[in-house]
Amino acid sequence: MSSSFQANLDEDYIPQNILLTGGAGFIGSHVAILLAKKYPHYNIVVYDKLDYCSCLDNLDEISRLKNFKFVKGDISSPDLVSYVMAEEHIDTIMHFAAQTHVDNSFGNSFNFTQSNIMGTHVLLEAAKCHRGMRRFIHVSTDEVYGEGETFETEAMNEEHVLEPTNPYAATKAGAEFLVKSYHRSFKLPCVITRGNNVYGPHQFPEKLIPKFTNQLLRGRPVTLHGDGSNTRNFLYVEDVARAFEVILHKAKPGMILNIGGANEVSNLEVAKKLITILGKEDQMDELISFVPDRKFNDLRYTINSGKLHQLGWKEEMSWEEGLKTTVEWFTKYSGRFGNIEDALVAHPRIGFAPGSSVSNEH
């Protein structure tokens, strides 16, 4: 599967019936909202298991639109997946559903294999056997590249060898190889995306920014792994949704596209910024707690998104404004996910084994 391309921007792909897996989750819900509202002639079918980190409230603003439908289902269920694809005349799959939390993958990795590899395989096989399939957009992660070993490491392009360092990333890399094989063997029209960390409204509070925000809103110190020096490149979720809008219409089968931003920030800097936004600068020292690091913690990820920029996408939300908007949302909707105490502990509890459903890709 090659990421080299000659993009003809005058020949946009126009879908009719989109199956969006994991669409009640974080990134998927924002993509579903954007497409359903902006393109009323597209039918958007969200398929989601409604597991612990997904929520129908994430889709409330489009729930009454005529071009939107929700189906509760597991991507690992071949019969249901095939039935929905036939019944809804699906011509496009946007596959966001996945287990994505790295910490959980160290203790409950079988769930990741089931969701990320088996679930993707079920979708691919159903798509292969389904008449009229014109696009299969597979949502992967920059973590498949492995870590950038130093801060001088050159940004990774789409041809970089895959060297995942944790069970989550390994299952996402495995899923990618399945996608590539169906593209090569069966000519399934596939596109693969690999994205940076994403933040913003609708994100379940197990991830860094919503976790720290919710800890602080409850008057607790943030729990920083290690010394907090590990960096991530953060992208605001609405920018990412627009990236998928571009990819849906502009990307050609066979492409692999990085979705990267320009906000490389250390975890410690994130914590300090959130404390400042919440007006608690005078408590900075007592609100930062350093805890033992995870089993392995990549130093950084840095990817080159030049190919996506050529298709017409660019990052628009500033880091400062994006963080403020995110904090405001969680302040207003802190009860959206019910009891989130398990998500706010420093490390996942070993017995906590959530099932498969949605993607956050980060």
Side-chain angles (χ1 to χ4, degrees):
M1 189 165 181
S2 172
S3 58
S4 63
F5 60 93
Q6 290 292 325
N8 185 341
L9 302 186
D10 295 327
E11 296 181 1
D12 285 2
Y13 171 69
I14 306 298
Q16 291 181 311
N17 303 305
I18 301 172
L19 182 70
L20 203 156
T21 72
F26 175 38
I27 302 174
S29 64
H30 284 275
V31 175
I33 290 166
L34 185 155
L35 294 178
K37 292 173 72 173
K38 187 171 180 178
Y39 302 96
H41 50 296
Y42 297 176
N43 293 313
I44 310 298
V45 181
V46 165
Y47 185 99
D48 197 300
K49 188 182 177 181
L50 291 182
D51 210 342
Y52 77 104
C53 55
S54 58
C55 178
L56 274 178
D57 287 346
N58 288 340
L59 297 166
D60 187 61
E61 62 184 285
I62 60 171
S63 62
R64 287 163 289 279
L65 295 183
K66 293 181 178 179
N67 64 329
F68 170 80
K69 178 180 287 189
F70 176 79
V71 177
K72 183 177 180 181
D74 192 327
I75 57 172
S76 298
S77 302
D79 290 345
L80 182 57
V81 168
S82 296
Y83 172 80
V84 172
M85 287 176 61
E87 190 73 9
E88 301 298 333
H89 307 289
I90 298 299
D91 57 33
T92 304
I93 292 176
M94 302 182 76
H95 177 32
F96 290 87
Q99 279 282 333
T100 66
H101 192 36
V102 175
D103 284 356
N104 286 340
S105 79
F106 286 117
N108 304 292
S109 55
F110 288 160
N111 287 333
F112 286 71
T113 301
Q114 175 68 22
S115 299
N116 299 351
I117 296 180
M118 185 62 185
T120 300
H121 200 170
V122 167
L123 286 169
L124 287 165
E125 187 64 18
K128 182 197 78 173
C129 299
H130 175 68
R131 287 190 174 186
M133 183 56 55
R134 299 168 57 215
R135 280 294 186 282
F136 189 109
I137 298 174
H138 177 71
V139 182
S140 191
T141 169
D142 60 1
E143 294 200 36
V144 297
Y145 293 124
E147 72 171 347
E149 295 179 358
T150 70
F151 287 100
E152 290 73 41
T153 302
E154 188 176 346
M156 300 175 188
N157 60 31
E158 291 86 349
E159 287 78 25
H160 194 281
V161 65
L162 304 190
E163 295 181 343
T165 59
N166 59 66
Y168 155 64
T171 62
K172 293 301 290 185
E176 278 199 31
F177 284 118
L178 279 169
V179 174
K180 292 177 183 179
S181 73
Y182 272 71
H183 175 70
R184 288 169 176 153
S185 295
F186 307 113
K187 310 305 178 189
L188 194 66
C190 299
V191 175
I192 292 174
T193 71
R194 298 171 182 154
N196 277 157
N197 284 50
V198 184
Y199 73 100
H202 301 183
Q203 188 171 32
F204 187 74
E206 65 187 358
K207 300 298 176 68
L208 185 81
I209 290 174
K211 181 174 185 171
F212 284 3
T213 300
N214 279 277
Q215 287 172 331
L216 292 168
L217 287 172
R218 287 161 174 75
R220 305 175 192 174
V222 302
T223 49
L224 268 168
H225 288 181
D227 61 6
S229 64
N230 301 70
T231 69
R232 296 295 182 263
N233 225 315
F234 293 96
L235 268 173
Y236 188 67
V237 67
E238 290 183 3
D239 278 336
V240 176
R242 289 189 305 98
F244 280 103
E245 177 190 14
V246 171
I247 290 163
L248 173 64
H249 296 109
K250 305 288 188 183
K252 308 301 180 186
M255 284 188 185
I256 301 173
L257 294 163
N258 287 337
I259 308 174
N263 304 305
E264 185 170 5
V265 186
S266 74
N267 293 343
L268 180 56
E269 289 178 76
V270 173
K272 289 180 176 179
K273 189 65 182 175
L274 290 171
I275 291 169
T276 300
I277 289 173
L278 286 166
K280 301 184 178 186
E281 303 99 311
D282 57 336
Q283 304 173 57
M284 189 73 73
D285 290 341
E286 54 260 45
L287 288 176
I288 295 178
S289 170
F290 295 95
V291 301
D293 210 346
R294 58 171 61 148
K295 298 292 183 183
F296 185 86
N297 198 345
D298 291 322
L299 175 66
R300 67 193 293 249
Y301 305 111
T302 176
I303 57 177
N304 184 322
S305 301
K307 289 184 169 67
L308 182 57
H309 293 311
Q310 289 179 40
L311 293 182
W313 174 82
K314 65 178 181 178
E315 184 178 7
E316 294 183 358
M317 177 66 82
S318 72
W319 171 240
E320 297 270 342
E321 189 62 30
L323 267 190
K324 288 179 182 177
T325 302
T326 301
V327 170
E328 288 171 3
W329 188 88
F330 278 103
T331 301
K332 185 175 181 180
Y333 296 104
S334 61
R336 170 157 295 191
F337 296 102
N339 186 343
I340 58 172
E341 288 303 311
D342 279 341
L344 298 184
V345 296
H347 298 282
R349 299 191 171 108
I350 296 301
F352 180 53
S356 63
S357 175
V358 306
S359 173
N360 115 10
E361 281 319 322
H362 298 306

